[in-house]
Amino acid sequence: MAEKQERLPFREAAARTRRGLSIWWKTAPEVLVSGWAREGVDALAPYLPLYFTAGLVNAIAGGGDVWLMLWALLAAAAAAAGIQAAVHCWDDAMRNAHQWPAWSRIFFDKLLSMDFCGIDDPKNQALLTQIEQLRNWSGWGLNRVYRVSAEALGSLCRVLGALALSVSLFTLPVPAGSPLAWLNHPLCLAGMAGLLAGSVALSAKLANEAQGYWDRYDGTAGNRGFSFFYFIAMRERHRAADIRTYAQDDFLEDAARQDMKSETSFGPNSSVGRAGRGPMGLLSAASGVVSQAFVGAVYLFTGLKALGGAFGVGSVTQYVGALAGLARGLSDLLEQVGALRTNAGFLKFTFDFLDIPNSMYQGSLTTEKRTDRKYEIEFRDVSFRYPGTDTWALRHVNMKFDVGGRLAVVGENGSGKTTFIKLLCRLYDPTEGEILLNGIDIRKYRYDDYLALFSVVFQDFKLLAQPLGSNVAAAEEYDRARAEECLSKAGFADRLAELPRGLDTCLYREFEDGGVEVSGGEAQKIALARVLYQDAPFIVLDEPTAALDPEAEAEVYTKFNDIVEDKTAIYISHRLSSCRFCDEIAVFDRGRVVQQGNHDALVETPGKYQALWEAQAQYYQKNEE
Ligand code: ADP
């Protein structure tokens, strides 16, 4: 994903920025408004004391009312500081409360509404990583949109304020007869305006050239390495045991150091690091020098006009401050236009992500809520390839489930069992063939409705660091008696009785010091209770017991079988012994269903099942002896 930055035409950049702003406006308008107010006030506030300082110095030099001006200056300075502080507090509060939650909401809403296959697609994951890297690396992306808009508004205010304070510099003439009266000549005015325009343009150009080194710098790979070594590998507690037992610390630190030395990292050897010591640093410095040279020229011009008697000496401060502000405001504005264009290029990743289409067909039929649970599912010549691969994970699968029956799906690792379940639960749609529910293609049903028919415990199921009861019910509000009953059926009753806060006990310690760390076996029981609580007509257990030994797995499966009552249960395992109690066993081999029948028949028939059974039986026989 090492895509480099393109420089966009202004119109296109503005359109993307507008879209970014409208996303912010819809998600967190308060952040936009407070950010704009902050930059506007910051730009204008310094002009207030500047104006009164000039008045005070003029009063001292020219015999005006010094005390009045002094009090006015103090009041203006206090008012400016007070307003600034209040607006900063408001903006900080708005940003803390809304900026990150809004950013997350924008992306999580998209993730949560995306087809599962979209989330599973490595391309989309890489896109999201790219967006996060750019944000962490130098704030590019959606956040920059709102910052640039606020800064541009601030610059505009600075320019307008400066113009208001400096108009009289050009309109007040040096009295005729003064040797400096030539300063009134229109050419002098034109010269100052030209100097202003030239220095602003040159300083902004130099600053943008310096910024261009960032545009051309693709630090994604280095940043990914940096994040991995410092934030993942060294920090995650489930890696700590490996790091210690394999003494990986030196290895990791070396790898991290190497990453820092790489061309694409943040380190001093990266292209941007080298540029900072060389041309990029020089360009930034030159930009500053040009701005200051203009301020020098302004000092000369205003100083001479004051000397010629056009205005009091105090006004020199005002004009110099205002024109310096004008130059800064204009060059900032130009820089912000540059940043806006650079950022619009990076926004492409954000919009590519937000625009990922949901390609799965969304039907409108409702599944019949049958109390007799008479649902019939049929796989009709189903074949499937994962997106981006050209090998078939499933090939020509035909199968019908007995309603209320017990189906076992067995086969070696990689034979397609989990893929079969993912298709059954419509996490993916078949590449060829169709899956029917009560004779109708499952694509024609409403997606939520169809999914509600299944309770699945996947191999890598995850519980949340939330109260036990909420984990079981998958909801904050739930029926406590039912949650307890399900936990008890799943074999968790004794442990539940020991927990000081019962169903309210938080799992894990991410959020609560008093949270409990449940073992793998206990987590499984909670996951099974979750299945029972959901009370869906189809229950699928996809080897959630893989960490157990074969006999313990067989015991869990058989026991679970007793409590699922009239539901249709599908058990997946690569251990044949776990599923021998099932009415129907489908044997998968390299994506195909190669045999189907009950245990007794299959074990007598020469074929894959018999071969696997004999290979695995040696182990059980040894155990039994
Ligand atoms: P099983 O559950 O029997 O162990 P799977 O259904 O997980 O097997 O895998 C079947 C085949 O599909 C394997 O070759 C596996 O490598 C491939 N596969 C599984 N998941 C993905 C995926 N997300 N992307 C690409 N290929 C996959």
Side-chain angles (χ1 to χ4, degrees), residues 116 120-122 384-389 391-394 409-422 428 459 542-543 572-574 588 590-591:
F116 177 82
D120 211 24
D121 188 338
F384 179 72
R385 267 193 308 238
Y386 280 96
T389 66
T391 47
W392 292 102
L394 287 184
V409 175
V410 301
E412 287 163 299
N413 286 332
S415 59
K417 304 183 297 292
T418 297
T419 308
F420 170 76
I421 296 306
K422 284 184 180 162
Y428 288 97
Q459 264 171 46
D542 180 4
E543 298 195 90
I572 318 246
S573 185
H574 60 281
F588 275 69
R590 280 170 286 178

mmCIF file of all heavy atoms in Angstrom, residues 116 120-122 384-389 391-394 409-422 428 459 542-543 572-574 588 590-591, ligand 1:
data_model
loop_
_atom_site.group_PDB
_atom_site.id
_atom_site.type_symbol
_atom_site.label_atom_id
_atom_site.label_comp_id
_atom_site.label_asym_id
_atom_site.label_seq_id
_atom_site.Cartn_x
_atom_site.Cartn_y
_atom_site.Cartn_z
ATOM 1 N N PHE A 116 -19.711 -8.633 6.105
ATOM 2 C CA PHE A 116 -18.609 -9.321 6.781
ATOM 3 C C PHE A 116 -17.439 -9.528 5.825
ATOM 4 O O PHE A 116 -16.278 -9.345 6.183
ATOM 5 C CB PHE A 116 -19.086 -10.669 7.331
ATOM 6 C CG PHE A 116 -17.987 -11.450 7.977
ATOM 7 C CD1 PHE A 116 -17.607 -11.191 9.274
ATOM 8 C CD2 PHE A 116 -17.312 -12.442 7.277
ATOM 9 C CE1 PHE A 116 -16.570 -11.895 9.873
ATOM 10 C CE2 PHE A 116 -16.282 -13.158 7.858
ATOM 11 C CZ PHE A 116 -15.922 -12.879 9.162
ATOM 12 N N ASP A 120 -13.489 -8.715 6.246
ATOM 13 C CA ASP A 120 -12.529 -9.809 6.159
ATOM 14 C C ASP A 120 -11.520 -9.582 5.034
ATOM 15 O O ASP A 120 -10.496 -10.236 4.978
ATOM 16 C CB ASP A 120 -13.322 -11.102 5.874
ATOM 17 C CG ASP A 120 -12.642 -12.311 6.475
ATOM 18 O OD1 ASP A 120 -11.880 -12.125 7.436
ATOM 19 O OD2 ASP A 120 -12.868 -13.419 5.975
ATOM 20 N N ASP A 121 -11.837 -8.639 4.142
ATOM 21 C CA ASP A 121 -10.983 -8.432 2.976
ATOM 22 C C ASP A 121 -9.701 -7.692 3.383
ATOM 23 O O ASP A 121 -9.761 -6.567 3.880
ATOM 24 C CB ASP A 121 -11.776 -7.587 1.959
ATOM 25 C CG ASP A 121 -11.057 -7.484 0.633
ATOM 26 O OD1 ASP A 121 -9.832 -7.673 0.615
ATOM 27 O OD2 ASP A 121 -11.731 -7.210 -0.381
ATOM 28 N N PRO A 122 -8.535 -8.313 3.197
ATOM 29 C CA PRO A 122 -7.284 -7.676 3.619
ATOM 30 C C PRO A 122 -7.081 -6.293 2.996
ATOM 31 O O PRO A 122 -6.479 -5.416 3.607
ATOM 32 C CB PRO A 122 -6.192 -8.642 3.132
ATOM 33 C CG PRO A 122 -6.872 -9.888 2.726
ATOM 34 C CD PRO A 122 -8.330 -9.614 2.550
ATOM 35 N N PHE A 384 -17.335 -22.270 -3.483
ATOM 36 C CA PHE A 384 -16.935 -20.963 -2.945
ATOM 37 C C PHE A 384 -15.426 -20.763 -3.011
ATOM 38 O O PHE A 384 -14.654 -21.657 -2.701
ATOM 39 C CB PHE A 384 -17.390 -20.839 -1.485
ATOM 40 C CG PHE A 384 -16.999 -19.531 -0.870
ATOM 41 C CD1 PHE A 384 -17.628 -18.349 -1.244
ATOM 42 C CD2 PHE A 384 -15.983 -19.469 0.075
ATOM 43 C CE1 PHE A 384 -17.252 -17.134 -0.693
ATOM 44 C CE2 PHE A 384 -15.605 -18.257 0.634
ATOM 45 C CZ PHE A 384 -16.243 -17.090 0.248
ATOM 46 N N ARG A 385 -15.081 -19.561 -3.448
ATOM 47 C CA ARG A 385 -13.688 -19.111 -3.432
ATOM 48 C C ARG A 385 -13.635 -17.844 -2.599
ATOM 49 O O ARG A 385 -14.485 -16.970 -2.769
ATOM 50 C CB ARG A 385 -13.250 -18.732 -4.849
ATOM 51 C CG ARG A 385 -12.604 -19.826 -5.620
ATOM 52 C CD ARG A 385 -11.930 -19.290 -6.852
ATOM 53 N NE ARG A 385 -12.790 -18.466 -7.672
ATOM 54 C CZ ARG A 385 -13.079 -18.697 -8.952
ATOM 55 N NH1 ARG A 385 -12.545 -19.740 -9.549
ATOM 56 N NH2 ARG A 385 -13.862 -17.898 -9.631
ATOM 57 N N TYR A 386 -12.653 -17.731 -1.691
ATOM 58 C CA TYR A 386 -12.514 -16.473 -0.946
ATOM 59 C C TYR A 386 -12.117 -15.370 -1.915
ATOM 60 O O TYR A 386 -11.368 -15.630 -2.866
ATOM 61 C CB TYR A 386 -11.468 -16.622 0.160
ATOM 62 C CG TYR A 386 -12.026 -17.315 1.383
ATOM 63 C CD1 TYR A 386 -11.850 -18.680 1.572
ATOM 64 C CD2 TYR A 386 -12.746 -16.599 2.327
ATOM 65 C CE1 TYR A 386 -12.381 -19.324 2.679
ATOM 66 C CE2 TYR A 386 -13.275 -17.235 3.442
ATOM 67 C CZ TYR A 386 -13.097 -18.593 3.615
ATOM 68 O OH TYR A 386 -13.629 -19.210 4.704
ATOM 69 N N PRO A 387 -12.606 -14.143 -1.680
ATOM 70 C CA PRO A 387 -12.260 -13.049 -2.588
ATOM 71 C C PRO A 387 -10.738 -12.912 -2.698
ATOM 72 O O PRO A 387 -10.033 -13.032 -1.699
ATOM 73 C CB PRO A 387 -12.845 -11.807 -1.906
ATOM 74 C CG PRO A 387 -13.840 -12.320 -0.935
ATOM 75 C CD PRO A 387 -13.460 -13.708 -0.570
ATOM 76 N N GLY A 388 -10.290 -12.712 -3.892
ATOM 77 C CA GLY A 388 -8.854 -12.516 -4.104
ATOM 78 C C GLY A 388 -8.058 -13.814 -4.179
ATOM 79 O O GLY A 388 -6.839 -13.784 -4.265
ATOM 80 N N THR A 389 -8.729 -14.963 -4.092
ATOM 81 C CA THR A 389 -7.987 -16.227 -4.218
ATOM 82 C C THR A 389 -8.545 -16.987 -5.425
ATOM 83 O O THR A 389 -9.668 -16.737 -5.858
ATOM 84 C CB THR A 389 -8.151 -17.138 -2.982
ATOM 85 O OG1 THR A 389 -9.518 -17.552 -2.908
ATOM 86 C CG2 THR A 389 -7.777 -16.436 -1.702
ATOM 87 N N THR A 391 -8.299 -20.510 -5.463
ATOM 88 C CA THR A 391 -8.536 -21.920 -5.136
ATOM 89 C C THR A 391 -9.929 -22.055 -4.522
ATOM 90 O O THR A 391 -10.392 -21.156 -3.815
ATOM 91 C CB THR A 391 -7.501 -22.440 -4.114
ATOM 92 O OG1 THR A 391 -7.410 -21.474 -3.078
ATOM 93 C CG2 THR A 391 -6.136 -22.659 -4.736
ATOM 94 N N TRP A 392 -10.550 -23.177 -4.802
ATOM 95 C CA TRP A 392 -11.906 -23.400 -4.279
ATOM 96 C C TRP A 392 -11.809 -23.863 -2.835
ATOM 97 O O TRP A 392 -11.167 -24.867 -2.558
ATOM 98 C CB TRP A 392 -12.629 -24.472 -5.106
ATOM 99 C CG TRP A 392 -12.931 -24.010 -6.491
ATOM 100 C CD1 TRP A 392 -12.250 -24.337 -7.618
ATOM 101 C CD2 TRP A 392 -13.994 -23.139 -6.894
ATOM 102 N NE1 TRP A 392 -12.803 -23.720 -8.717
ATOM 103 C CE2 TRP A 392 -13.899 -22.976 -8.291
ATOM 104 C CE3 TRP A 392 -15.019 -22.470 -6.219
ATOM 105 C CZ2 TRP A 392 -14.765 -22.189 -9.027
ATOM 106 C CZ3 TRP A 392 -15.893 -21.685 -6.951
ATOM 107 C CH2 TRP A 392 -15.765 -21.542 -8.337
ATOM 108 N N ALA A 393 -12.444 -23.117 -1.914
ATOM 109 C CA ALA A 393 -12.479 -23.548 -0.511
ATOM 110 C C ALA A 393 -13.609 -24.562 -0.336
ATOM 111 O O ALA A 393 -13.539 -25.447 0.517
ATOM 112 C CB ALA A 393 -12.687 -22.359 0.407
ATOM 113 N N LEU A 394 -14.645 -24.446 -1.148
ATOM 114 C CA LEU A 394 -15.726 -25.446 -1.172
ATOM 115 C C LEU A 394 -16.035 -25.744 -2.635
ATOM 116 O O LEU A 394 -16.003 -24.845 -3.480
ATOM 117 C CB LEU A 394 -17.000 -24.907 -0.523
ATOM 118 C CG LEU A 394 -17.048 -24.754 0.985
ATOM 119 C CD1 LEU A 394 -18.439 -24.296 1.408
ATOM 120 C CD2 LEU A 394 -16.698 -26.047 1.706
ATOM 121 N N VAL A 409 -20.100 -31.997 11.182
ATOM 122 C CA VAL A 409 -19.280 -31.716 10.010
ATOM 123 C C VAL A 409 -17.854 -32.019 10.437
ATOM 124 O O VAL A 409 -17.321 -31.386 11.346
ATOM 125 C CB VAL A 409 -19.432 -30.242 9.594
ATOM 126 C CG1 VAL A 409 -18.493 -29.915 8.453
ATOM 127 C CG2 VAL A 409 -20.865 -29.963 9.188
ATOM 128 N N VAL A 410 -17.271 -33.045 9.838
ATOM 129 C CA VAL A 410 -15.931 -33.448 10.256
ATOM 130 C C VAL A 410 -14.990 -33.407 9.049
ATOM 131 O O VAL A 410 -15.431 -33.366 7.895
ATOM 132 C CB VAL A 410 -15.930 -34.859 10.893
ATOM 133 C CG1 VAL A 410 -16.832 -34.924 12.101
ATOM 134 C CG2 VAL A 410 -16.324 -35.918 9.874
ATOM 135 N N GLY A 411 -13.718 -33.455 9.353
ATOM 136 C CA GLY A 411 -12.723 -33.414 8.280
ATOM 137 C C GLY A 411 -11.446 -32.808 8.826
ATOM 138 O O GLY A 411 -11.465 -32.179 9.897
ATOM 139 N N GLU A 412 -10.377 -32.982 8.072
ATOM 140 C CA GLU A 412 -9.092 -32.476 8.557
ATOM 141 C C GLU A 412 -9.085 -30.949 8.539
ATOM 142 O O GLU A 412 -9.940 -30.327 7.908
ATOM 143 C CB GLU A 412 -7.973 -33.016 7.668
ATOM 144 C CG GLU A 412 -7.723 -34.494 7.911
ATOM 145 C CD GLU A 412 -6.927 -35.126 6.791
ATOM 146 O OE1 GLU A 412 -7.398 -35.125 5.648
ATOM 147 O OE2 GLU A 412 -5.828 -35.618 7.072
ATOM 148 N N ASN A 413 -8.062 -30.362 9.199
ATOM 149 C CA ASN A 413 -7.943 -28.899 9.161
ATOM 150 C C ASN A 413 -7.792 -28.434 7.718
ATOM 151 O O ASN A 413 -7.096 -29.069 6.931
ATOM 152 C CB ASN A 413 -6.717 -28.445 9.960
ATOM 153 C CG ASN A 413 -6.966 -28.577 11.449
ATOM 154 O OD1 ASN A 413 -8.110 -28.496 11.892
ATOM 155 N ND2 ASN A 413 -5.915 -28.820 12.206
ATOM 156 N N GLY A 414 -8.478 -27.374 7.406
ATOM 157 C CA GLY A 414 -8.358 -26.812 6.056
ATOM 158 C C GLY A 414 -9.270 -27.489 5.049
ATOM 159 O O GLY A 414 -9.229 -27.181 3.859
ATOM 160 N N SER A 415 -10.145 -28.399 5.512
ATOM 161 C CA SER A 415 -10.980 -29.116 4.539
ATOM 162 C C SER A 415 -12.232 -28.325 4.147
ATOM 163 O O SER A 415 -12.969 -28.733 3.267
ATOM 164 C CB SER A 415 -11.367 -30.490 5.089
ATOM 165 O OG SER A 415 -12.061 -30.333 6.303
ATOM 166 N N GLY A 416 -12.504 -27.195 4.839
ATOM 167 C CA GLY A 416 -13.620 -26.344 4.412
ATOM 168 C C GLY A 416 -14.771 -26.286 5.407
ATOM 169 O O GLY A 416 -15.826 -25.717 5.095
ATOM 170 N N LYS A 417 -14.585 -26.808 6.615
ATOM 171 C CA LYS A 417 -15.698 -26.876 7.573
ATOM 172 C C LYS A 417 -16.170 -25.473 7.990
ATOM 173 O O LYS A 417 -17.356 -25.175 7.958
ATOM 174 C CB LYS A 417 -15.263 -27.681 8.820
ATOM 175 C CG LYS A 417 -14.769 -29.078 8.501
ATOM 176 C CD LYS A 417 -14.415 -29.877 9.735
ATOM 177 C CE LYS A 417 -13.283 -29.320 10.553
ATOM 178 N NZ LYS A 417 -11.952 -29.367 9.910
ATOM 179 N N THR A 418 -15.203 -24.638 8.368
ATOM 180 C CA THR A 418 -15.580 -23.297 8.824
ATOM 181 C C THR A 418 -16.162 -22.487 7.669
ATOM 182 O O THR A 418 -17.125 -21.724 7.847
ATOM 183 C CB THR A 418 -14.361 -22.573 9.425
ATOM 184 O OG1 THR A 418 -13.954 -23.322 10.565
ATOM 185 C CG2 THR A 418 -14.680 -21.156 9.839
ATOM 186 N N THR A 419 -15.609 -22.683 6.487
ATOM 187 C CA THR A 419 -16.130 -21.970 5.323
ATOM 188 C C THR A 419 -17.593 -22.347 5.105
ATOM 189 O O THR A 419 -18.436 -21.496 4.814
ATOM 190 C CB THR A 419 -15.289 -22.329 4.082
ATOM 191 O OG1 THR A 419 -13.919 -22.103 4.404
ATOM 192 C CG2 THR A 419 -15.680 -21.496 2.884
ATOM 193 N N PHE A 420 -17.885 -23.622 5.273
ATOM 194 C CA PHE A 420 -19.258 -24.112 5.129
ATOM 195 C C PHE A 420 -20.180 -23.358 6.102
ATOM 196 O O PHE A 420 -21.261 -22.896 5.728
ATOM 197 C CB PHE A 420 -19.230 -25.625 5.411
ATOM 198 C CG PHE A 420 -20.567 -26.259 5.536
ATOM 199 C CD1 PHE A 420 -21.340 -26.513 4.408
ATOM 200 C CD2 PHE A 420 -21.068 -26.622 6.780
ATOM 201 C CE1 PHE A 420 -22.582 -27.107 4.524
ATOM 202 C CE2 PHE A 420 -22.309 -27.215 6.905
ATOM 203 C CZ PHE A 420 -23.075 -27.461 5.776
ATOM 204 N N ILE A 421 -19.718 -23.174 7.337
ATOM 205 C CA ILE A 421 -20.535 -22.474 8.344
ATOM 206 C C ILE A 421 -20.674 -20.994 7.986
ATOM 207 O O ILE A 421 -21.737 -20.397 8.134
ATOM 208 C CB ILE A 421 -19.894 -22.622 9.751
ATOM 209 C CG1 ILE A 421 -19.896 -24.092 10.162
ATOM 210 C CG2 ILE A 421 -20.599 -21.765 10.793
ATOM 211 C CD1 ILE A 421 -21.250 -24.752 10.092
ATOM 212 N N LYS A 422 -19.577 -20.407 7.489
ATOM 213 C CA LYS A 422 -19.639 -18.983 7.132
ATOM 214 C C LYS A 422 -20.658 -18.760 6.016
ATOM 215 O O LYS A 422 -21.344 -17.748 5.976
ATOM 216 C CB LYS A 422 -18.274 -18.477 6.683
ATOM 217 C CG LYS A 422 -17.318 -18.258 7.854
ATOM 218 C CD LYS A 422 -16.033 -17.663 7.357
ATOM 219 C CE LYS A 422 -15.039 -17.433 8.474
ATOM 220 N NZ LYS A 422 -13.682 -17.262 7.938
ATOM 221 N N TYR A 428 -20.618 -14.928 3.989
ATOM 222 C CA TYR A 428 -20.270 -14.818 2.567
ATOM 223 C C TYR A 428 -21.415 -15.410 1.749
ATOM 224 O O TYR A 428 -22.154 -16.260 2.250
ATOM 225 C CB TYR A 428 -19.018 -15.647 2.241
ATOM 226 C CG TYR A 428 -17.738 -15.082 2.775
ATOM 227 C CD1 TYR A 428 -17.200 -15.549 3.969
ATOM 228 C CD2 TYR A 428 -17.052 -14.093 2.084
ATOM 229 C CE1 TYR A 428 -16.004 -15.039 4.459
ATOM 230 C CE2 TYR A 428 -15.865 -13.580 2.559
ATOM 231 C CZ TYR A 428 -15.342 -14.052 3.748
ATOM 232 O OH TYR A 428 -14.170 -13.547 4.218
ATOM 233 N N GLN A 459 -14.580 -20.920 16.508
ATOM 234 C CA GLN A 459 -13.322 -21.356 17.129
ATOM 235 C C GLN A 459 -12.686 -20.244 17.931
ATOM 236 O O GLN A 459 -12.236 -20.424 19.033
ATOM 237 C CB GLN A 459 -12.334 -21.699 16.010
ATOM 238 C CG GLN A 459 -12.279 -23.143 15.644
ATOM 239 C CD GLN A 459 -11.443 -23.338 14.392
ATOM 240 O OE1 GLN A 459 -10.369 -22.795 14.263
ATOM 241 N NE2 GLN A 459 -11.957 -24.137 13.485
ATOM 242 N N ASP A 542 -18.500 -24.432 16.266
ATOM 243 C CA ASP A 542 -17.387 -24.642 15.351
ATOM 244 C C ASP A 542 -16.096 -24.803 16.147
ATOM 245 O O ASP A 542 -15.336 -23.855 16.330
ATOM 246 C CB ASP A 542 -17.278 -23.449 14.402
ATOM 247 C CG ASP A 542 -16.128 -23.622 13.407
ATOM 248 O OD1 ASP A 542 -15.488 -24.688 13.421
ATOM 249 O OD2 ASP A 542 -15.870 -22.683 12.627
ATOM 250 N N GLU A 543 -15.869 -25.982 16.637
ATOM 251 C CA GLU A 543 -14.664 -26.314 17.406
ATOM 252 C C GLU A 543 -14.293 -25.268 18.451
ATOM 253 O O GLU A 543 -13.127 -24.878 18.537
ATOM 254 C CB GLU A 543 -13.458 -26.503 16.471
ATOM 255 C CG GLU A 543 -13.656 -27.640 15.503
ATOM 256 C CD GLU A 543 -12.351 -28.053 14.836
ATOM 257 O OE1 GLU A 543 -11.681 -28.930 15.403
ATOM 258 O OE2 GLU A 543 -12.029 -27.517 13.773
ATOM 259 N N ILE A 572 -18.967 -29.033 14.626
ATOM 260 C CA ILE A 572 -17.832 -29.118 13.707
ATOM 261 C C ILE A 572 -16.631 -29.602 14.491
ATOM 262 O O ILE A 572 -16.385 -29.112 15.594
ATOM 263 C CB ILE A 572 -17.469 -27.719 13.175
ATOM 264 C CG1 ILE A 572 -18.722 -27.005 12.861
ATOM 265 C CG2 ILE A 572 -16.417 -27.783 12.092
ATOM 266 C CD1 ILE A 572 -19.025 -26.686 11.560
ATOM 267 N N SER A 573 -15.909 -30.516 13.931
ATOM 268 C CA SER A 573 -14.684 -30.932 14.605
ATOM 269 C C SER A 573 -13.782 -31.664 13.636
ATOM 270 O O SER A 573 -14.248 -32.248 12.664
ATOM 271 C CB SER A 573 -15.001 -31.852 15.784
ATOM 272 O OG SER A 573 -13.798 -32.137 16.463
ATOM 273 N N HIS A 574 -12.473 -31.599 13.914
ATOM 274 C CA HIS A 574 -11.593 -32.459 13.129
ATOM 275 C C HIS A 574 -11.358 -33.763 13.887
ATOM 276 O O HIS A 574 -10.663 -34.646 13.431
ATOM 277 C CB HIS A 574 -10.276 -31.754 12.791
ATOM 278 C CG HIS A 574 -9.484 -31.346 13.992
ATOM 279 N ND1 HIS A 574 -9.786 -30.227 14.730
ATOM 280 C CD2 HIS A 574 -8.420 -31.920 14.573
ATOM 281 C CE1 HIS A 574 -8.923 -30.131 15.725
ATOM 282 N NE2 HIS A 574 -8.089 -31.145 15.656
ATOM 283 N N PHE A 588 -15.865 -33.810 5.232
ATOM 284 C CA PHE A 588 -15.288 -32.873 4.262
ATOM 285 C C PHE A 588 -13.854 -33.263 3.946
ATOM 286 O O PHE A 588 -13.102 -33.672 4.822
ATOM 287 C CB PHE A 588 -15.289 -31.440 4.839
ATOM 288 C CG PHE A 588 -16.578 -30.712 4.625
ATOM 289 C CD1 PHE A 588 -17.729 -31.101 5.295
ATOM 290 C CD2 PHE A 588 -16.651 -29.631 3.761
ATOM 291 C CE1 PHE A 588 -18.922 -30.436 5.096
ATOM 292 C CE2 PHE A 588 -17.833 -28.955 3.563
ATOM 293 C CZ PHE A 588 -18.981 -29.353 4.229
ATOM 294 N N ARG A 590 -10.837 -31.544 1.361
ATOM 295 C CA ARG A 590 -10.430 -30.546 0.367
ATOM 296 C C ARG A 590 -11.629 -29.834 -0.290
ATOM 297 O O ARG A 590 -11.752 -29.777 -1.517
ATOM 298 C CB ARG A 590 -9.533 -31.180 -0.685
ATOM 299 C CG ARG A 590 -8.094 -31.312 -0.155
ATOM 300 C CD ARG A 590 -7.230 -32.125 -1.039
ATOM 301 N NE ARG A 590 -7.544 -33.537 -0.924
ATOM 302 C CZ ARG A 590 -6.973 -34.497 -1.606
ATOM 303 N NH1 ARG A 590 -6.064 -34.202 -2.493
ATOM 304 N NH2 ARG A 590 -7.295 -35.762 -1.422
ATOM 305 N N GLY A 591 -12.537 -29.383 0.562
ATOM 306 C CA GLY A 591 -13.643 -28.557 0.086
ATOM 307 C C GLY A 591 -14.840 -29.327 -0.435
ATOM 308 O O GLY A 591 -15.829 -28.727 -0.835
HETATM 309 P P1 ADP B 1 -11.447 -25.904 8.311
HETATM 310 O O1 ADP B 1 -12.494 -25.170 9.072
HETATM 311 O O2 ADP B 1 -11.901 -27.238 7.834
HETATM 312 O O3 ADP B 1 -10.154 -26.021 9.074
HETATM 313 P P2 ADP B 1 -11.512 -23.632 6.538
HETATM 314 O O4 ADP B 1 -12.911 -23.589 6.091
HETATM 315 O O5 ADP B 1 -11.106 -22.681 7.607
HETATM 316 O O6 ADP B 1 -11.112 -25.107 6.977
HETATM 317 O O7 ADP B 1 -10.554 -23.386 5.290
HETATM 318 C C1 ADP B 1 -10.780 -23.987 4.021
HETATM 319 C C2 ADP B 1 -9.778 -23.393 3.033
HETATM 320 O O8 ADP B 1 -10.045 -22.008 2.848
HETATM 321 C C3 ADP B 1 -8.339 -23.479 3.511
HETATM 322 O O9 ADP B 1 -7.532 -23.787 2.400
HETATM 323 C C4 ADP B 1 -8.032 -22.094 4.014
HETATM 324 O O10 ADP B 1 -6.678 -21.778 3.840
HETATM 325 C C5 ADP B 1 -8.910 -21.228 3.124
HETATM 326 N N1 ADP B 1 -9.343 -20.011 3.827
HETATM 327 C C6 ADP B 1 -9.976 -19.954 5.022
HETATM 328 N N2 ADP B 1 -10.255 -18.691 5.362
HETATM 329 C C7 ADP B 1 -9.796 -17.895 4.356
HETATM 330 C C8 ADP B 1 -9.793 -16.497 4.089
HETATM 331 N N3 ADP B 1 -10.345 -15.615 4.940
HETATM 332 N N4 ADP B 1 -9.214 -16.070 2.952
HETATM 333 C C9 ADP B 1 -8.664 -16.933 2.076
HETATM 334 N N5 ADP B 1 -8.647 -18.265 2.250
HETATM 335 C C10 ADP B 1 -9.198 -18.767 3.373
#
